[in-house]
Amino acid sequence: MSVHLEDTRKVTTHRLFEMKQRGEKISMLTAYDYTMASILDQAGIDVLLVGDSASNVMAGNITTLPMTLDQMIYHGSSVVKGVQRALVVVDMPFGSYQGNSKEALASAIRIMKETGADCLKLEGGEEVLESVCRILTAGIPVMGHLGLTPQSINKFGTYTVRAREEQEASKLVADALLLEKAGCFGIVLEKIPASLAKKVAESVKIPIIGIGAGFAVDGQVLVVHDMMGMNSKGFSPRFLRKYADLHTVMTDAVKNYIKDVKSGDFPNESEQY
Ligand code: KIV
C-alpha cells in the first residue's frame, strides 16, 4: 500500500520551474503578517506574495502607490518568520526601482537583507529591464508582473482588463519574452484576456501565475483578504472566487463578544483568576 507523504521541502524558484515542466499548477496567495503567513504555509501554499496590496487591505489606501520600502520590509520580515516551506516573494514598492538601476539594486538589497525573503517582484517590462538585470546580477531572483500593473493606475485611469487591443497585447508578449531572457524566474499576469495569457504561458519556459488571466497558465494568485471574504465593500471582480465568508464570521464573533461583555456574561467564574 502506498502512503501519501506531504512534500515538506522548501519551495525554491527551481522547484517552480520543475512544476511547470511536469504540468503541476502552482498555488500562490498574498500574506502580510506572521499569523496569516503561518496558517497559509501550514496549509501547504506553494508561494506567498508579500504584495504591495498591503497598501489597500492593511493600510486602507485606495492605490498601492503610498507603500514605502520600510513598510514592505516590515510586512516581509513578519511573513518570513511565519514560513517554513513556501517561497516568499516581496513586492518592490512604487518608487523603489523605477528611478535608475542603481537605486533599484539598493532597494532590492535592503529588502533581501532586512526581511530574509527568497525573492522579489516588480512591475513592468522593457521600461524596467535595466533594473531587473542589475538586481539579477546580485544573485537576487526576480519575478515580473505584466498586464494590469496597479502601480501604473494613474496612467491607465481604470482597473479594467488590459491588453485587449493588439498593440498592448503584442507589447505584453514581447515584455514577457524580454523578462524571461533577462533571467526572471516567473511572471504574474494580471487581468488580461485568457487567450493572451495562454499564449504567453506557452511561449516561455518560466512559470506564469495568473490573477484574472484564466486557467491556461501555470498557477494562480489571489489577495488572501479577497478569497477569504473579509472585504465588506462588495469587491467582487469576475476572477475572484471566495472560499470563506470571514466578514460575516468575524462580525458575528465581535457582536457576540460585545453582547457578552455588556450583559456581564464574560468573563465567568472559570475565566478569571
Ligand atoms: O500586490 C499584490 O497583491 C499583487 C497581486 C495582485 C499579484 O501584486
Side-chain angles (χ1 to χ4, degrees):
M1 193 176 90
S2 74
V3 180
H4 174 72
L5 293 172
E6 289 290 326
D7 191 350
T8 54
R9 287 176 302 155
K10 172 79 185 165
V11 179
T12 61
T13 55
H14 183 68
R15 286 190 60 202
L16 296 185
F17 181 73
E18 290 175 339
M19 286 168 81
K20 171 162 181 152
Q21 281 186 325
R22 62 172 181 268
E24 180 183 341
K25 298 277 188 182
I26 297 163
S27 61
M28 175 165 162
L29 282 172
T30 63
Y32 317 99
D33 67 273
Y34 168 82
T35 304
M36 183 70 88
S38 314
I39 295 170
L40 304 181
D41 187 54
Q42 283 164 29
I45 199 79
D46 295 316
V47 185
L48 281 180
L49 170 65
V50 185
D52 60 356
S53 50
S55 183
N56 311 106
V57 296
M58 302 300 289
N61 296 314
I62 292 172
T63 73
T64 58
L65 275 67
M67 218 56 194
T68 66
L69 201 51
D70 284 339
Q71 287 168 332
M72 290 309 298
I73 288 170
Y74 166 77
H75 288 294
S77 61
S78 308
V79 166
V80 166
K81 287 179 207 137
V83 171
Q84 289 184 342
R85 176 182 173 274
L87 183 84
V88 179
V89 187
V90 176
D91 259 344
M92 296 191 71
F94 177 67
S96 71
Y97 60 94
Q98 293 94 341
N100 61 57
S101 63
K102 198 171 162 206
E103 270 176 33
L105 179 59
S107 307
I109 288 177
R110 265 203 73 197
I111 299 176
M112 295 301 284
K113 264 189 193 294
E114 295 178 39
T115 66
D118 301 305
C119 41
L120 304 175
K121 173 166 86 58
L122 53 81
E123 298 181 7
E126 195 187 356
E127 317 75 32
V128 292
L129 195 63
E130 201 185 310
S131 293
V132 168
C133 291
R134 190 136 181 191
I135 296 169
L136 284 164
T137 57
I140 302 170
V142 177
M143 181 171 222
H145 184 158
L146 300 171
L148 177 61
T149 45
Q151 291 178 13
S152 300
I153 188 59
N154 292 317
K155 182 178 82 178
F156 298 146
T158 162
Y159 283 99
T160 196
V161 179
R162 302 305 312 174
R164 281 198 192 277
E165 306 300 328
E166 178 50 36
Q167 203 183 348
E168 195 176 330
S170 312
K171 177 176 173 354
L172 189 144
V173 175
D175 280 343
L177 293 170
L178 276 178
L179 292 175
E180 175 179 51
K181 195 163 170 226
C184 286
F185 72 86
I187 301 172
V188 166
L189 292 183
E190 181 164 352
K191 224 171 172 189
I192 61 167
S195 55
L196 178 62
K198 178 173 190 282
K199 183 175 170 188
V200 175
E202 287 171 355
S203 307
V204 298
K205 292 200 167 59
I206 56 174
I208 298 297
I209 311 294
I211 172 165
F215 55 75
V217 289
D218 307 303
Q220 299 293 329
V221 57
L222 285 175
V223 170
V224 70
H225 290 64
D226 296 340
M227 59 83 77
M228 291 289 187
M230 292 172 92
N231 210 316
S232 66
K233 292 179 193 142
F235 175 68
S236 230
R238 188 195 295 194
F239 67 77
L240 175 61
R241 186 179 294 181
K242 290 190 182 168
Y243 286 84
D245 181 6
L246 290 196
H247 187 263
T248 302
V249 170
M250 292 174 79
T251 304
D252 288 350
V254 175
K255 283 185 174 165
N256 284 331
Y257 169 73
I258 296 169
K259 180 168 65 63
D260 289 352
V261 171
K262 299 274 185 196
S263 68
D265 180 72
F266 175 79
N268 61 24
E269 286 287 337
S270 64
E271 288 163 334
Q272 65 187 8
Y273 300 98

